[in-house]
Amino acid sequence: MVRGQLGFSWLEVLGRLVTLEQEEFEWEPGPDALRVVRRGDERTPRTLGVGEWVMEWPEGSDSPQPRTIAWLVAHLTEAFFERWEWTFGDRIARRDAVAFSGEVDPAITGLTRWVDLWRDGVDSLPEDQVFTVGLGQATEIDAQAPFGHLVLHMNRELIHHGAEIMVLQDLYRARHAG
């Protein structure tokens, strides 16, 4: 059921992502919205990412700053990357090693890569591995919990942020219709 939820949720989110236009991707739904920008153009003191593009990082976990769709895509990308790397990968790179893009097509391609790798890894595990504690090592919580908890957490991340992407896309289209 958990694998099915992940697969179905991803198909729903991807179905919307592939219809995104660049303007929707960059649209700032409120003041000081968190964005993905070229290095040097950031408004926040903290950023994440290597290369030409960085995602602005909020001051704290309860930051009231709105987020652009580009930021939400980048956040999902770094979350799936790090969880894959520290479960199925070499367990070396962290989320700050991800290269982001402020362009819609490469950003969606990057997210798709890491979600697909995560899904392949989860699908390859025998059923009894769902109860293995410490299979994922990305965070302290991952290392102390049965693997099924991590899969459920990543499903929640995809559903939560996927819903935010869809709402922002709907709001942008309603606001800019006609």
Side-chain angles (χ1 to χ4, degrees), residues 103-168:
E103 297 172 5
V104 67
D105 292 334
I108 292 168
T109 298
L111 173 57
T112 300
R113 175 178 184 230
W114 294 112
V115 171
D116 286 348
L117 283 169
W118 174 253
R119 288 180 58 208
D120 290 346
V122 170
D123 288 345
S124 72
L125 291 175
E127 290 290 326
D128 62 348
Q129 290 279 331
V130 76
F131 299 109
T132 301
V133 173
L135 185 61
Q137 295 284 317
T139 70
E140 223 175 275
I141 294 170
D142 295 351
Q144 297 171 2
F147 182 65
H149 286 242
L150 175 56
V151 178
L152 288 170
H153 170 71
M154 293 307 294
N155 287 4
R156 185 197 57 78
E157 283 286 296
L158 179 61
I159 293 165
H160 168 142
H161 295 305
E164 288 179 297
I165 289 167
M166 291 177 192
V167 167
L168 287 172

Side-chain angles (χ1 to χ4, degrees), residues 8-161:
F8 180 77
S9 298
W10 175 238
L11 287 177
E12 289 289 310
V13 172
L14 184 60
R16 292 293 292 273
L17 289 175
V18 299
T19 70
L20 275 173
E21 299 291 331
Q22 186 68 33
E23 295 78 22
E24 295 171 311
F25 190 65
E26 296 174 352
W27 178 60
E28 295 182 41
D32 297 319
L34 295 170
R35 310 164 300 155
V36 174
V37 296
R38 292 188 191 281
R39 187 173 300 283
D41 291 338
E42 58 271 11
R43 296 186 293 221
T44 60
R46 292 179 56 205
T47 60
L48 195 64
V50 296
E52 179 182 357
W53 297 92
V54 295
M55 65 183 293
E56 297 173 322
W57 202 251
E59 295 282 332
S61 59
D62 293 332
S63 170
Q65 291 172 276
R67 291 141 171 89
T68 62
I69 293 174
W71 190 93
L72 292 164
V73 168
H75 174 56
L76 285 170
T77 301
E78 52 93 358
F80 276 98
F81 162 78
E82 189 172 52
R83 280 349 197 287
W84 178 86
E85 170 70 12
W86 284 84
T87 305
F88 305 109
D90 293 333
R91 296 182 177 190
I92 297 170
R94 291 289 181 182
R95 61 183 57 196
D96 59 359
V98 176
F100 301 110
S101 179
E103 297 172 5
V104 67
D105 292 334
I108 292 168
T109 298
L111 173 57
T112 300
R113 175 178 184 230
W114 294 112
V115 171
D116 286 348
L117 283 169
W118 174 253
R119 288 180 58 208
D120 290 346
V122 170
D123 288 345
S124 72
L125 291 175
E127 290 290 326
D128 62 348
Q129 290 279 331
V130 76
F131 299 109
T132 301
V133 173
L135 185 61
Q137 295 284 317
T139 70
E140 223 175 275
I141 294 170
D142 295 351
Q144 297 171 2
F147 182 65
H149 286 242
L150 175 56
V151 178
L152 288 170
H153 170 71
M154 293 307 294
N155 287 4
R156 185 197 57 78
E157 283 286 296
L158 179 61
I159 293 165
H160 168 142
H161 295 305

